[in-house]
């Protein structure tokens, strides 16, 4: 039986087996406290302009979509849908975008 602590999951790279894209590193997990079941891993969204403009949306990957948990990498079968970035009207007006 292989065991893994939640602390061991943090900072592991998450890679989609569909296209080989690196989605980021595990930042957090979701747990159902009523039945002590791990529901999903969470990858925090990347910072926008060094965090001055907030973050992109977090990526949530259901536990059922995880295929393999390796020493440094987690392979997932489903690549979550990414929302297109909305352009900031001020920046597009100033810079002609």
């Amino acid at each position: 039986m292989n065991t893994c602590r939640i602390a061991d999951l943090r900072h592991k790279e998450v890679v989609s087996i569909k296209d080989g894209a690196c989605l980021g590193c595990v930042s957090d997990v979701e747990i159902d406290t009523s039945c002590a079941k791990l529901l999903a891993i969470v990858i925090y969204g990347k910072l926008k302009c060094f965090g001055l403009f907030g973050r992109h949306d977090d990526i949530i990957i259901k536990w059922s979509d995880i295929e393999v948990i390796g020493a440094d990498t987690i392979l997932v079968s489903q690549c979550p849908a990414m929302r297109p970035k909305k352009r900031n009207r001020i920046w597009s007006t100033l810079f002609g975008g």
Side-chain angles (χ1 to χ4, degrees):
M1 177 172 111
N2 292 336
T3 61
C4 182
R5 295 177 174 207
I6 292 174
D8 297 335
L9 291 177
R10 289 187 49 88
H11 308 298
K12 287 190 182 205
E13 278 191 312
V14 180
V15 177
S16 169
I17 61 175
K18 184 176 181 180
D19 58 3
C22 179
L23 302 174
C25 293
V26 176
S27 302
D28 204 352
V29 295
E30 288 185 4
I31 299 173
D32 182 352
T33 56
S34 64
C35 64
K37 183 177 178 182
L38 197 101
L39 300 176
I41 58 175
V42 179
I43 301 168
Y44 290 154
K46 296 186 191 289
L47 296 175
K48 296 180 184 178
C49 193
F50 303 107
L52 296 174
F53 297 109
R55 296 183 169 266
H56 291 281
D57 293 333
D58 294 344
I59 300 171
I60 299 174
I61 300 169
K62 292 186 272 181
W63 188 255
S64 61
D65 292 334
I66 296 174
E67 295 292 325
V68 177
I69 298 176
D72 299 318
T73 308
I74 297 173
L75 301 178
V76 296
S77 60
Q78 296 292 337
C79 182
M82 302 297 285
R83 288 188 226 170
K85 268 195 317 190
K86 293 181 181 177
R87 298 193 94 185
N88 189 331
R89 287 183 155 190
I90 295 171
W91 290 110
S92 61
T93 303
L94 290 175
F95 297 109

